[in-house]
Amino acid sequence: MTKPPNSQASQLWHLTADALCTRLGCSLQGLTGAEAAERLDRFGPNSDAPPRIEGAMRAILRRLLEPLSLILLVAGIVSMLTGDDIGGLIIVLILAGSIGLDTIQEGHAVRAAEILRRSVALKAEVKRDGAFREIDVEHVVPGDLLRIRAGDIIPADALVLESTAFTAGEAALTGEPYPVQKQAGAVTDPDDTSNALFRGAVAQTGEAIALVVGTGRNSVFGAAAAALAEPQATSPFERDLREFGLVVARATLALVLIVLTIRVVSGRAILDSLLFAVALAVGLTPELLPMTTTVTLSRGALRMAGRKVIVKRLAAIHDLGAMTVLCTDKTGTLTSAEITLARSIGGAGNDAPRAAQLGAIAASLGGDRGSLDAALVAGRPDAVQGWRLAGQQAFDFSRRLGSVLATGPDGALLIVKGAPEAVLALCTMDERAREAAMARARELASEGLRTVAIASRAWSGARREIETDDETDLVFEGLCAFADPPKPTAAAAIARLAAGGVRLKILSGDDPVVVKRLAGLVGLNPERVLSGADIAALSDEALAVQVRSADAFGRLAPDQKSRIVKALQAGGEVVGFLGDGINDAPALKAADVGLSVDGATGVAQAAADMILLASDLEVVADGVEEGRRTFANILKYVRMGASSNFGNMLSMAAASIALPFLPMLPTQILLNNLLYDLSELGIPFDRVSAQATAQPQVWSMARLVRFAAIMGPLSSVFDALTFVALLVLFKASPEEFRTTWFVESMATQILVIFIIRTNGRPWRNWPDPALAASSLTALLAAMVLPFTPLGAWFGFVAPPPIMMAGIALLVVAYLACAELLKPFAIRSGRKN
């Protein structure tokens, strides 16, 4: 049995019915209508708190108030006010499109509560005023008596008072794949919940009467659902983007104020200085970053859809690529949640087929076709050929066994199957042999295997009705061992993730013994498994230490799964969580990236950021690679802005102070910025080498600052050399100076993308044709424009050929130096 979370109801299954009635102020005869109405007012409806729904306008406003969005909005407005209507409009449209797409992509959160509401029963049968009757599930209150039959969804947490062959499927709540037998009576083990029912579980067999203890949010299901009502935490990518926006804002403001102040103090024209400072600010603004980010993420989402991953939140693509730890539930993710026959062990302890053969005959002819019977039949599908049913004794949950009388090639045979201790007690064998068989059963249990004992005896006489007294003097045939095996691809996928820098941890509600066995089978460390009881005894600080060394966790409550996720995050990890059950919802919401699967519970899918169309870790590994590829292309744009673009604007600011004339007119700066942005339109389509996806990709501001600190000044140094060459060697006029430097500035800014787009040598990793086309087209336009009539409108003149040749040599020298210094600027230790 698996212990549920720490809701009020989950603390009460070890109490007696009388003690619960005293606490709840009710009797075992049910409630009256008046009492139920009063309790409904006191405890509230048996439903879940609605999620915090963010309206479209509020969502748009929240995104608009991000630092980078504010910078772009101000830059667009200022551009339009200073005469660059087209440039300003483009900036505003790009910003609007990015915010709109983000808002649409993340609108799924509004539907989470409705998905949750539909996933539970709509009607419940309770005893009111002395008689059982159906009511809306929302009107069930603590103190009600429930009657639950096979096929019902249990509407509340409750204590079993009576049961008849009652079992419940709790896989979606606890991760345990086997149906759980429920019966009345006190329990001594604090983790034994065999006398408790939990909201959201499914009754599989029999019937039960139960006393309602917890409803709504005060239930296992409600505790998990409460996570959906909490606001979504800011993702690592969103935090990084915000931090980058703040850095850009501070740098832009500082540079503009310094230039404007010095020029005004020096007696330069105030209007010209103001227009130049505004143009400088626009030039420093990464206008295309939102569009590049959105388009790159959207293309990543399309490629991931081709790899069977549906993306609900675009930023999660980056977070998946940055993931360093993947926590996963067991059932349905690492395992197929399909019970299989693992071993057939003879009476002497050796592997022998007869036990499974007889078990399959009994299951085929008279089984209840539960998961264990289905596994027996699937394991020996031909066993029943030639046999027919002559009589049967249905499985008795109190005796924990059942029997069939079969006639076939071996004559008439009574076959008994059930719990080992129950069947062995009916067999003719000495105590030493019986104890040896029980020891084998316990050994199999320690390996995480469920066992069923098989016994038989020849049937004599014409009577076909089986009585309890007939189930004696049996011959012990052996044990059938069952497992929920790992998926065939699980071990290889885990090894692939580990090779890519992603560690995997199993967070399961199942028995720690089962989790330990699974961990060993899939290549994780099985030596240390922490249980829910261990987690409950640890503080958050202690847990943050313990989770580093443990790979497997068992008997976890939903809130404990989310505690582990948060403990890993506190240690600096980017955490993903893969789960498909109700019990996984809190952890899915708490994780940096939540992953669910097609066919998972509605609650899990609502809480997740991505849905895998194939429940396989190989799909996750594919998604991780795609996330890293997407981030690598976004990083190319950021690197460009942090290198030549920033360096050129810095040079322009310095030149505006030192020179007696403006080094570039405001309209020329804005044109420079526009062509530069157009050159980068191909970045989202660029190729990324396999080495770039080999390890988690993290947006490190320290690395970006280091990159800018090396590559930016390098650009400025060559700008200074250009100034010296133009003024000293070529004696350029102000118009020739502006034109020639415009061409040099565009050449260095655009061509450097082919250098910094890869950590390795550019000729070993060619760019995508789309990036080459956008870059070279923009460069061609910049070089041709001064020699056309349109160039005069921007204040350009045609420079002499010798001046252009000198600039060409400086551009080649700059690119060579950029390639030489690039390893020091990147210093990642990896080629990509």
Side-chain angles (χ1 to χ4, degrees):
M1 311 302 173
T2 302
K3 187 175 179 179
N6 297 321
S7 65
Q8 176 182 321
S10 67
Q11 299 298 307
L12 303 176
W13 67 83
H14 57 279
L15 298 179
T16 65
D18 290 338
L20 281 175
C21 285
T22 300
R23 180 173 295 189
L24 294 171
C26 64
S27 72
L28 296 178
Q29 306 306 312
L31 302 174
T32 65
E35 288 173 331
E38 184 273 329
R39 288 167 184 262
L40 189 62
D41 289 337
R42 190 191 340 159
F43 294 104
N46 183 31
S47 59
D48 302 287
R52 299 180 183 181
I53 298 175
E54 185 179 51
M57 291 305 297
R58 187 178 182 86
I60 291 172
L61 184 61
R62 174 172 56 83
R63 290 171 173 83
L64 189 59
L65 292 178
E66 290 291 327
L68 194 57
S69 297
L70 289 174
I71 294 172
L72 294 176
L73 182 61
V74 171
I77 293 173
V78 170
S79 295
M80 287 187 281
L81 291 177
T82 54
D84 184 19
D85 294 337
I86 295 177
L89 184 61
I90 289 174
I91 295 173
V92 173
L93 288 177
I94 288 172
L95 178 61
S98 175
I99 290 176
L101 186 56
D102 253 3
T103 303
I104 293 170
Q105 283 281 343
E106 298 182 20
H108 67 87
V110 177
R111 299 185 294 274
E114 184 62 17
I115 292 172
L116 179 67
R117 188 187 68 80
R118 292 176 180 175
S119 64
V120 294
L122 298 179
K123 294 288 183 180
E125 192 177 3
V126 300
K127 192 173 186 179
R128 294 278 175 86
D129 297 316
F132 279 100
R133 59 190 179 90
E134 277 195 347
I135 63 170
D136 289 338
V137 70
E138 292 184 352
H139 296 159
V140 175
V141 295
D144 265 327
L145 284 189
L146 282 175
R147 180 156 64 190
I148 306 157
R149 309 171 197 266
D152 290 346
I153 298 177
I154 297 170
D157 291 358
L159 185 77
V160 177
L161 302 179
E162 304 172 22
S163 66
T164 305
F166 188 80
T167 60
E170 297 181 342
L173 289 164
T174 65
E176 187 170 355
Y178 301 96
V180 182
Q181 183 182 349
K182 299 291 185 177
Q183 57 191 4
V187 295
T188 54
D189 184 348
D191 288 337
D192 184 358
T193 61
S194 60
N195 62 348
L197 307 179
F198 301 104
R199 181 181 173 216
V202 180
Q204 293 198 343
T205 62
E207 183 176 315
I209 304 294
L211 174 66
V212 174
V213 179
T215 59
R217 286 171 285 180
N218 193 33
S219 65
V220 174
F221 188 92
L228 298 182
E230 297 175 0
Q232 180 74 43
T234 305
S235 73
F237 181 71
E238 291 164 340
R239 289 196 299 269
D240 293 340
L241 202 59
R242 179 178 298 173
E243 185 179 356
F244 179 71
L246 289 172
V247 170
V248 170
R250 294 188 188 106
T252 301
L253 184 62
L255 193 60
V256 167
L257 288 177
I258 290 172
V259 170
L260 186 60
T261 301
I262 294 178
R263 283 186 61 85
V264 171
V265 171
S266 302
R268 311 290 176 87
I270 295 178
L271 181 59
D272 286 346
S273 299
L274 179 62
L275 290 175
F276 180 81
V278 168
L280 199 62
V282 174
L284 283 169
T285 303
E287 296 96 336
L288 283 190
L289 181 57
M291 189 199 74
T292 300
T293 299
T294 302
V295 171
T296 305
L297 291 175
S298 296
R299 277 183 54 80
L302 290 174
R303 285 195 296 264
M304 291 178 77
R307 292 189 171 197
K308 300 183 178 180
V309 180
I310 302 301
V311 178
K312 296 169 61 182
R313 182 173 62 87
L314 280 180
I317 296 176
H318 162 269
D319 300 335
L320 188 63
M323 181 174 66
T324 57
V325 175
L326 174 62
C327 300
T328 177
D329 188 21
K330 176 182 72 69
T331 306
T333 49
L334 290 177
T335 69
S336 58
E338 295 179 0
I339 309 305
T340 60
L341 178 65
R343 295 183 63 187
S344 177
I345 302 172
N350 57 312
D351 287 337
R354 182 169 172 79
Q357 195 83 3
L358 294 178
I361 293 170
S364 297
L365 296 178
D368 59 11
R369 289 305 176 96
S371 56
L372 298 183
D373 279 345
L376 279 169
V377 174
R380 298 290 188 274
D382 300 327
V384 76
Q385 289 184 3
W387 293 86
R388 63 183 181 84
L389 182 66
Q392 83 175 87
Q393 180 90 306
F395 188 88
D396 187 330
F397 281 87
S398 61
R399 297 192 306 131
R400 303 183 68 195
L401 56 83
S403 57
V404 300
L405 178 59
T407 58
D410 297 339
L413 193 66
L414 177 68
I415 305 173
V416 179
K417 65 180 177 68
E421 58 271 25
V423 173
L424 285 168
L426 304 176
C427 294
T428 301
M429 57 197 309
D430 59 43
E431 281 303 316
R432 180 176 298 177
R434 182 178 286 109
E435 181 53 39
M438 282 303 302
R440 282 193 292 274
R442 287 192 292 269
E443 182 181 354
L444 290 168
S446 69
E447 297 176 6
L449 301 176
R450 180 74 65 92
T451 55
V452 168
I454 309 294
S456 70
R457 73 173 177 86
W459 185 269
S460 58
R463 183 171 57 86
R464 292 294 185 260
E465 295 81 13
I466 302 175
E467 297 176 356
T468 302
D469 292 341
D470 294 320
E471 297 168 339
T472 55
D473 300 326
L474 302 175
V475 176
F476 177 57
E477 300 288 359
L479 298 170
C480 293
F482 301 88
D484 181 17
K487 293 182 176 179
T489 58
I494 290 172
R496 179 182 167 192
L497 287 168
V502 180
R503 291 174 293 136
L504 188 132
K505 296 181 184 292
I506 304 175
L507 275 58
S508 176
D510 211 343
D511 193 307
V513 173
V514 177
V515 178
K516 180 177 182 177
R517 175 178 179 272
L518 177 63
L521 291 175
V522 298
L524 299 177
N525 178 17
E527 298 303 319
R528 187 161 179 260
V529 180
L530 294 180
S531 69
D534 298 328
I535 301 299
L538 295 174
S539 66
D540 289 343
E541 292 76 14
L543 180 59
V545 175
Q546 294 296 321
V547 294
R548 298 175 192 167
S549 56
D551 285 345
F553 303 81
R555 286 205 192 281
L556 294 179
D559 62 321
Q560 291 174 332
K561 290 185 179 184
S562 60
R563 274 194 71 200
I564 292 171
V565 168
K566 292 173 182 176
L568 289 165
Q569 291 170 329
E573 306 287 358
V574 178
V575 183
F577 187 91
L578 172 60
D580 62 355
I582 295 169
N583 60 329
D584 297 320
L588 284 166
K589 194 71 180 287
D592 294 309
V593 54
L595 303 163
S596 191
V597 296
D598 187 31
T601 62
V603 179
Q605 290 191 0
D609 300 309
M610 298 182 180
I611 297 176
L612 312 182
L613 298 182
S615 180
D616 195 319
L617 283 180
E618 283 288 348
V619 177
V620 178
D622 290 341
V624 167
E625 288 186 1
E626 195 57 58
R628 293 174 181 177
R629 182 177 293 107
T630 300
F631 175 72
N633 279 338
I634 294 173
L635 189 60
K636 291 172 186 177
Y637 179 91
V638 176
R639 280 180 178 176
M640 283 190 69
S643 57
S644 60
N645 186 36
F646 178 75
N648 282 337
M649 292 300 114
L650 189 63
S651 302
M652 200 175 299
S656 71
I657 297 172
L659 296 178
F661 56 87
L662 286 175
M664 205 177 288
L665 299 176
T667 54
Q668 294 170 345
I669 295 176
L670 294 174
L671 178 62
N672 176 299
N673 196 52
L674 177 61
L675 289 174
Y676 166 71
D677 284 340
L678 291 175
S679 73
E680 296 173 304
L681 289 177
I683 287 180
F685 308 92
D686 194 24
R687 300 187 183 109
V688 176
S689 66
Q691 291 87 345
T693 62
Q695 293 295 319
Q697 298 288 333
V698 180
W699 190 335
S700 169
M701 286 305 302
R703 289 181 183 175
L704 283 177
V705 169
R706 175 184 175 82
F707 189 89
I710 293 176
M711 303 302 285
L714 174 66
S715 176
S716 296
V717 166
F718 275 87
D719 285 335
L721 292 175
T722 301
F723 298 162
V724 171
L726 291 175
L727 294 175
V728 177
L729 294 180
F730 301 116
K731 307 297 183 182
S733 66
E735 290 76 17
E736 289 175 335
F737 182 99
R738 293 174 185 135
T739 303
T740 309
W741 188 43
F742 175 86
V743 173
E744 185 269 353
S745 173
M746 292 306 306
T748 55
Q749 287 184 91
I750 292 175
L751 292 177
V752 79
I753 183 59
F754 300 112
I755 302 293
I756 63 178
R757 60 174 290 276
T758 171
N759 290 6
R761 298 306 180 194
W763 51 87
R764 294 175 183 167
N765 182 8
W766 291 96
D768 187 88
L771 176 59
S774 66
S775 298
L776 296 180
T777 300
L779 178 59
L780 181 63
M783 295 181 67
V784 170
L785 184 63
F787 301 93
T788 66
L790 186 60
W793 189 82
F794 284 99
F796 294 133
V797 296
I802 186 66
M803 196 177 293
M804 294 295 291
I807 293 302
L809 290 176
L810 283 173
V811 170
V812 172
Y814 164 73
L815 295 176
C817 290
E819 176 63 21
L820 291 174
L821 287 179
K822 181 177 64 177
F824 301 98
I826 295 172
R827 200 173 154 187
S828 64
R830 298 190 302 274
K831 303 282 187 185
N832 64 4

